[in-house]
Amino acid sequence: MQNFQNLILSFFVSLFSAIALGLFEPHITLLALIGFGIFIFCLFQFYIKLGSDIPLKELIMIIAFLQWIVGPILSYHFYTRSEFYYMIIDENTYMSYTLPASAAFFLGIFAPVFRRKYDDEDVKIEEISLGEQKRYRKKGGFLFTAGAL
C-alpha cells in the first residue's frame, strides 16, 4: 500500500512540476514537458527509495533524462545564445524522436519482467570454491579495466 501511495504522490509531483515549467516558459513544447515530468517522477522515486534500497534504476533514468531531455530544454529555452550549448536541430524534431525513445527505455527498465528477489542466503562467499573466486576476480578486473579505458 505504501508503494502505491508513493507512486501516486510521485505522479502528482511530476505533473505539477511539468505544469509549473510550462507556465514559467510558455514556448516549451508538450513533448518536452512530458519528458520533464518523467524526469521529475524518476527523481522523486530516487529520493523515496534512497533510504531503504539501492535505487540504481532510478539513478540510471535520472542521468539519462538529464542528458536527453533536461539538457536540451535548457539549451532550447535558457541558453539560446551560447556557442557551446547550441542545438542545431529544432525542438519539435528532437523531442519527437528523443521522448519516445527515452520513454521506451524507461518502460524497459521498470517493466516487471524476469524479476527475482535475491536473499542473503542465495549467495554465500564461503560456498564459492577458490577457483571460482579467482575467475570472478579476473572477470572483475577485466570489467574494471575496460570501464577505465
Side-chain angles (χ1 to χ4, degrees):
M1 185 67 174
Q2 185 71 21
N3 287 340
F4 182 71
Q5 290 173 345
N6 287 339
L7 284 174
I8 296 297
L9 181 64
S10 298
F11 174 76
F12 282 115
V13 167
S14 62
L15 182 66
F16 176 74
S17 300
I19 290 171
L21 178 65
L23 292 174
F24 179 72
E25 181 62 37
H27 300 292
I28 197 165
T29 62
L30 179 64
L31 292 173
L33 289 174
I34 292 170
F36 183 74
I38 296 172
F39 165 72
I40 295 296
F41 178 83
C42 293
L43 193 66
F44 204 71
Q45 284 294 309
F46 178 79
Y47 178 73
I48 288 171
K49 292 182 180 179
L50 196 55
S52 63
D53 196 8
I54 301 173
L56 188 60
K57 291 188 232 180
E58 289 81 3
L59 183 62
I60 291 168
M61 293 308 302
I62 288 170
I63 293 170
F65 272 81
L66 271 173
Q67 277 192 307
W68 300 333
I69 303 293
V70 176
I73 288 172
L74 292 173
S75 179
Y76 284 124
H77 296 283
F78 299 103
Y79 298 108
T80 56
R81 296 184 185 211
S82 174
E83 63 184 69
F84 299 110
Y85 302 112
Y86 177 72
M87 294 288 287
I88 297 171
I89 301 170
D90 65 302
E91 185 179 12
N92 285 329
T93 305
Y94 179 81
M95 288 296 172
S96 67
Y97 173 75
T98 305
L99 183 67
S102 301
F105 184 62
F106 174 82
L107 292 175
I109 292 279
F110 287 106
V113 180
F114 302 119
R115 278 194 186 166
R116 179 175 173 213
K117 277 286 201 185
Y118 289 99
D119 203 10
D120 289 341
E121 300 297 320
D122 287 346
V123 178
K124 291 190 178 189
I125 301 299
E126 297 86 28
E127 294 177 1
I128 298 175
S129 69
L130 188 61
E132 287 181 71
Q133 287 179 7
K134 287 181 182 179
R135 189 179 63 186
Y136 289 143
R137 213 172 268 130
K138 283 183 184 178
K139 286 183 180 181
F142 173 76
L143 287 174
F144 178 76
T145 305
L149 295 176

